[in-house]
């Protein structure tokens, strides 16, 4: 008997890269040396002070539920972090601790989007954003963006694409897959444009801290009513601990807390106690050293790929991705990725995972491997370009 599943489930697309990852794992199991540049997870393990704090929390029996909004001492630590990094005074009561940045996105979409309504999203962009909107019976209005606007939404684009069903916009700075930032004045212009239309501004700041030669501005510097999504996964290196946070306007906190109580009860207790160590000087020194390593990786891979003929029109300022145009080589992105995986055992992500606009002529490289491994990858890619035959597919 055929299963009858929900329309929303059927509408949510899988990650195309997962098919490539499964094949990469098969090749690896067969003894091949695969260089993984496809998944947005750094090669660094969680910093030792955070691990020690997590172990101590387990030893002390911190294994029970916390309050839905999270540990008060962690919310206070995050508030101090905003004061230190951005010179902002954020009331800890406005901060909700969530199961990863995804938990923060779930709260924001559940609160702000009614069925049939939509947010404006940059295309290309992180695919889960549009899928979360579908999950709450909303929709994503994908706005095609290219290098001329650094792959970011602008106030002019909001004006052009806003419709009667629009209720807000979600932007990311730094962005996945492009690594580009929104400057403070651009955030202010977006905020003003949305307020004029009665819309909400939601900003993904998950890659804050991972910027190179500059610091990212927080939207809260220009709009105290914006919703901010953040995570302990990227800069703080706690991917598997599943911990994030949401900063919300004071008036929204009660509704968000109610949603949190019902959707997930609370974020992982042990992870919350471990995360208290993120803000200690010893940990910050480790994280800043890692940021320096990411900067060196970006500088190397950006120059090397351009030398090979990949078009990277905008230098990424943050995150750990390069979004590269492959149109000079011909063929489609998925086949291109598959070729390099099968022939050279280098895995990277096809642009079709990130949207619709010119997706088939782009790929994403994650510089989440050591510099020697990136050098090996470039050597293999150079060799693989010589055997690439798009017309043979």
């Amino acid at each position: 008997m055929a299963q009858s599943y929900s329309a929303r489930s059927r509408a949510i697309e899988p990650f195309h890269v997962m098919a490539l990852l499964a094949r990469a794992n098969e090749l690896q199991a067969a003894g091949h040396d695969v260089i993984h540049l496809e998944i947005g997870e750094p090669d660094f393990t969680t910093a030792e002070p955070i691990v020690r704090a997590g172990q101590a929390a387990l030893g002390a029996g911190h294994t029970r539920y916390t309050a839905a909004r999270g540990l008060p001492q962690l919310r206070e630590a995050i508030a101090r972090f905003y004061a230190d990094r951005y010179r902002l005074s954020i009331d800890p009561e406005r901060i909700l601790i969530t199961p990863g940045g995804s938990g923060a996105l779930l709260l924001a979409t559940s609160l702000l989007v009614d069925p049939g309504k939509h947010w404006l999203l940059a295309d290309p962009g992180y695919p889960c954003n549009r899928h979360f909107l579908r999950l709450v019976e909303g929709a994503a209005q994908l706005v095609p963006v290219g290098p001329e606007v650094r792959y970011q939404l602008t106030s002019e684009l909001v004006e052009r694409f806003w419709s009667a069903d629009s209720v807000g916009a979600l932007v990311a700075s730094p962005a996945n897959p492009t690594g580009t930032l929104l400057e403070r004045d651009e955030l202010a212009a977006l905020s003003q444009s949305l307020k004029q239309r009665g819309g909400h501004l939601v900003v993904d700041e998950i890659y804050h801290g991972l910027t190179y030669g500059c610091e990212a501005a927080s939207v809260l510097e220009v709009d105290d009513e914006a919703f901010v999504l953040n995570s302990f996964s990227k800069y703080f290196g706690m991917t598997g601990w599943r911990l994030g946070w949401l900063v919300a306007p004071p008036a929204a906190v009660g509704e968000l807390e109610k949603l949190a109580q019902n959707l997930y009860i609370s974020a992982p207790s042990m992870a919350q106690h471990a995360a208290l160590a993120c803000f200690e000087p010893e940990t910050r020194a480790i994280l800043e050293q890692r940021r320096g390593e990411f900067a060196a990786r970006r500088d190397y891979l950006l120059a090397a790929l351009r030398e090979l003929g990949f078009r990277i029109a905008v230098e990424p300022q943050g995150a750990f991705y390069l979004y590269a145009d492959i149109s000079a080589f011909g063929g489609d992105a998925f086949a291109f990725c598959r070729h390099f995986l099968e022939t050279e055992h280098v895995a990277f992500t096809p642009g079709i995972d990130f949207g619709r606009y010119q997706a088939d002529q782009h790929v994403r490289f994650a510089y989440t491997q050591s510099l020697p491994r990136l050098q090996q990858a470039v050597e293999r890619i150079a060799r693989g370009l010589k055997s690439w035959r798009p017309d043979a597919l």
Side-chain angles (χ1 to χ4, degrees), residues 1-81:
M1 178 180 174
Q3 296 288 340
S4 178
Y5 298 128
S6 68
R8 77 177 66 86
S9 176
R10 295 194 303 272
I12 292 174
E13 303 167 34
F15 285 119
H16 294 90
V17 74
M18 288 305 172
L20 294 169
L21 179 60
R23 178 58 180 153
N25 290 336
E26 287 178 3
L27 289 167
Q28 208 159 276
H32 296 286
D33 175 36
V34 178
I35 302 178
H36 292 276
L37 307 181
E38 78 277 39
I39 302 300
E41 182 171 31
D43 53 325
F44 302 113
T45 57
T46 300
E48 183 58 30
I50 303 171
V51 174
R52 289 199 305 266
Q55 292 168 334
L58 286 170
H62 294 309
T63 59
R64 303 175 69 85
Y65 296 133
T66 69
R69 276 191 280 170
L71 287 176
Q73 57 266 47
L74 182 55
R75 292 189 283 114
E76 290 163 7
I78 293 171
R80 289 192 297 271
F81 180 67

Side-chain angles (χ1 to χ4, degrees), residues 222-233:
V222 297
D223 183 357
D224 199 48
E225 294 295 306
F227 291 77
V228 172
L229 316 175
N230 213 319
S231 172
F232 286 94
S233 289

Side-chain angles (χ1 to χ4, degrees), residues 20-269:
L20 294 169
L21 179 60
R23 178 58 180 153
N25 290 336
E26 287 178 3
L27 289 167
Q28 208 159 276
H32 296 286
D33 175 36
V34 178
I35 302 178
H36 292 276
L37 307 181
E38 78 277 39
I39 302 300
E41 182 171 31
D43 53 325
F44 302 113
T45 57
T46 300
E48 183 58 30
I50 303 171
V51 174
R52 289 199 305 266
Q55 292 168 334
L58 286 170
H62 294 309
T63 59
R64 303 175 69 85
Y65 296 133
T66 69
R69 276 191 280 170
L71 287 176
Q73 57 266 47
L74 182 55
R75 292 189 283 114
E76 290 163 7
I78 293 171
R80 289 192 297 271
F81 180 67
Y82 276 94
D84 175 54
R85 172 165 282 181
Y86 308 105
R87 303 293 184 263
L88 290 171
S89 178
I90 302 296
D91 187 344
E93 295 300 306
R94 296 174 54 188
I95 299 169
L96 293 95
I97 310 299
T98 59
S102 298
L105 181 59
L106 178 62
L107 290 183
T109 52
S110 298
L111 178 74
L112 301 176
V113 184
D114 278 322
K117 301 301 181 181
H118 65 239
W119 284 350
L120 274 59
L121 271 62
D123 178 3
Y126 180 56
C128 289
N129 293 336
R130 65 180 188 268
H131 296 156
F132 268 87
L133 288 165
R134 180 64 186 89
L135 188 67
V136 298
E137 301 296 340
Q141 173 64 54
L142 297 180
V143 179
V145 293
E148 69 283 352
V149 289
R150 302 192 326 282
Y151 302 101
Q152 292 282 2
L153 281 184
T154 65
S155 58
E156 292 79 12
L157 288 170
V158 168
E159 181 177 352
R160 190 189 316 168
F161 283 88
W162 194 264
S163 74
D165 291 326
S166 302
V167 293
L170 169 61
V171 296
S173 178
N176 177 7
T178 61
T180 61
L181 301 182
L182 285 161
E183 302 294 339
R184 186 178 286 102
D185 61 340
E186 294 171 319
L187 289 165
L190 278 169
S191 169
Q192 183 63 25
S193 182
L194 287 161
K195 284 182 176 178
Q196 289 173 353
R197 292 163 174 79
H200 297 284
L201 176 57
V202 183
V203 182
D204 170 349
E205 298 185 355
I206 284 170
Y207 290 94
H208 270 221
L210 290 175
T211 54
Y212 315 113
C214 63
E215 295 294 339
S218 174
V219 68
L220 296 173
E221 297 174 42
V222 297
D223 183 357
D224 199 48
E225 294 295 306
F227 291 77
V228 172
L229 316 175
N230 213 319
S231 172
F232 286 94
S233 289
K234 307 303 182 180
Y235 174 68
F236 295 105
M238 296 180 67
T239 50
W241 300 74
R242 306 313 305 132
L243 201 65
W245 74 84
L246 171 65
V247 183
V253 169
E255 288 297 304
L256 288 166
E257 182 176 21
K258 177 183 66 178
L259 288 168
Q261 291 167 345
N262 283 275
L263 290 173
Y264 55 78
I265 301 178
S266 65
S269 305

